[in-house]
C-alpha cells in the first residue's frame, strides 16, 4: 500500500503505485516478473507465504493414487465470484450416468457459500471444519475459476481440475503449473473426472516460501523501518 503519487505530464490522471510488492514464492516471483518492467521489478520483495503455513504443518503429502475400482469422492469448490461458481455447478449433473461411481459434494467460498443453490442442483454439501480436511477426504478436486485452493490441492498431491467460465479471463493462480487440468464445458469436465490420473505435484518449495522463522519478512521489515 502506498500513497505515493506518480504524475505523468501528458495525462490528466494520477496513478497510485505501491512502494513495495510482496511475493510469497518462486511461482509468484516468476509470474509477476513476466508481465512488468524493470522499474516495477525493483519494487518486489520476497516474503514467506503466511496463509499457507498449514501446508507445512501437514507436510506429509498424500501419495495415494486414485483407485479405478472404488467409488471416488469428488469435491467441487467455489470461488468468490458467484457467476463462476454457478457456472461450475450448472456444468455437471450429479445424476449423470457416467458419474455413477462418483460421490460429488460442494464447498462454497466463505464469501459466496451458495448452499441452497448447490442443494437444489443435487449436490451434497461438504461439512469439514477446514479446507485441508475437505481436500484430504476427497479423491479428485474441481476448483472454480480464480480460487487459490487449486494451489493447496496440488501441493497435497490431489488430481485437480480448474473449471473456467468461458465468459471470463483465466485468473486461476494455478494457470502456470504443469500438470494442472482445465475444463470450460460440461463434457470436458466429465471426461477429465473419469480419466483423472495421478499427477506428481510441484514441491511446496517450488510454490511457496514457508520458513516459520520468517527470515524474509524480518529482513525486509528491518529495511523498511531503517529507511524511515
Amino acid at each position: 500500500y502506498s500513497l505515493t503519487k506518480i504524475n505523468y505530464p501528458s495525462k490528466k490522471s494520477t496513478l497510485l503505485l505501491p512502494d513495495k510488492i510482496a511475493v510469497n514464492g518462486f511461482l509468484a516471483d516468476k509470474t509477476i516478473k513476466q508481465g512488468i518492467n524493470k522499474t516495477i521489478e525493483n519494487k518486489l520483495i520476497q516474503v514467506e507465504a503466511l496463509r499457507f503455513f498449514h501446508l507445512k504443518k501437514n507436510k506429509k503429502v498424500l501419495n495415494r493414487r486414485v483407485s479405478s475400482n472404488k467409488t471416488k469422492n469428488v469435491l467441487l469448490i467455489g470461488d468468490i465470484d458467484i457467476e463462476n461458481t454457478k457456472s461450475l455447478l450448472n456444468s455437471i449433473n450429479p445424476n449423470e450416468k457416467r458419474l455413477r461411481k462418483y460421490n460429488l459434494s460442494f464447498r462454497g467460498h466463505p464469501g459466496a457459500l451458495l448452499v441452497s443453490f448447490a442443494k437444489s442442483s443435487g449436490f451434497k454439501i461438504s461439512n469439514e471444519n477446514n479446507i485441508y480436511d475437505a481436500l484430504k477426504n476427497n479423491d479428485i478436486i474441481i476448483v472454480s475459476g480464480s480460487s487459490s485452493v487449486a494451489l493447496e490441492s496440488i501441493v497435497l498431491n490431489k488430481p485437480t481440475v480448474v473449471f473456467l467460465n468461458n465468459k471470463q479471463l483465466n485468473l486461476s493462480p494455478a494457470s502456470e503449473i504443469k500438470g494442472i487440468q482445465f475444463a470450460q464445458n460440461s463434457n470436458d469436465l466429465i471426461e477429465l473426472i473419469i480419466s483423472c490420473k495421478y499427477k506428481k505435484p510441484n514441491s511446496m518449495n517450488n510454490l511457496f516460501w514457508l520458513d516459520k522463522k520468517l527470515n524474509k519478512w524480518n529482513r525486509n521489515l528491518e529495511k523498511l523501518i531503517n529507511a524511515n
Side-chain angles (χ1 to χ4, degrees), residues 35-48:
I36 60 176
N37 59 40
K38 289 294 182 181
T39 302
I40 303 299
E41 186 173 330
N42 292 333
K43 295 177 177 288
L44 297 182
I45 58 173
Q46 298 179 350
V47 297
E48 288 80 8

Side-chain angles (χ1 to χ4, degrees), residues 11-12 18 23 44 72 82 106 118 123 149 184 203-204 225:
K11 297 182 179 180
K12 294 181 181 180
V23 292
L44 297 182
K72 304 172 188 67
I82 292 176
F106 171 74
F123 291 94
V149 175
Q184 287 187 295
S203 164
M204 283 189 292
I225 292 172

Side-chain angles (χ1 to χ4, degrees), residues 110-127:
L113 293 174
L114 294 178
V115 172
S116 297
F117 186 88
K119 284 184 175 179
S120 67
S121 300
F123 291 94
K124 299 175 183 177
I125 303 300
S126 168
N127 57 8

Side-chain angles (χ1 to χ4, degrees), residues 37-101:
N37 59 40
K38 289 294 182 181
T39 302
I40 303 299
E41 186 173 330
N42 292 333
K43 295 177 177 288
L44 297 182
I45 58 173
Q46 298 179 350
V47 297
E48 288 80 8
L50 304 179
R51 177 187 167 180
F52 296 102
F53 272 10
H54 65 283
L55 297 176
K56 185 75 170 180
K57 178 180 178 181
N58 301 292
K59 65 181 179 179
K60 186 177 181 181
V61 179
L62 307 173
N63 285 317
R64 62 177 181 171
R65 294 174 180 268
V66 176
S67 172
S68 60
N69 55 12
K70 79 175 186 70
T71 299
K72 304 172 188 67
N73 295 319
V74 180
L75 178 64
L76 283 72
I77 298 177
D79 68 18
I80 189 62
D81 189 307
I82 292 176
E83 292 306 314
N84 279 350
T85 302
K86 285 185 175 181
S87 179
L88 168 61
L89 293 171
N90 287 331
S91 72
I92 189 167
N93 181 356
N95 299 314
E96 162 76 40
K97 289 183 179 180
R98 290 177 290 174
L99 299 176
R100 284 179 294 184
K101 290 186 177 181

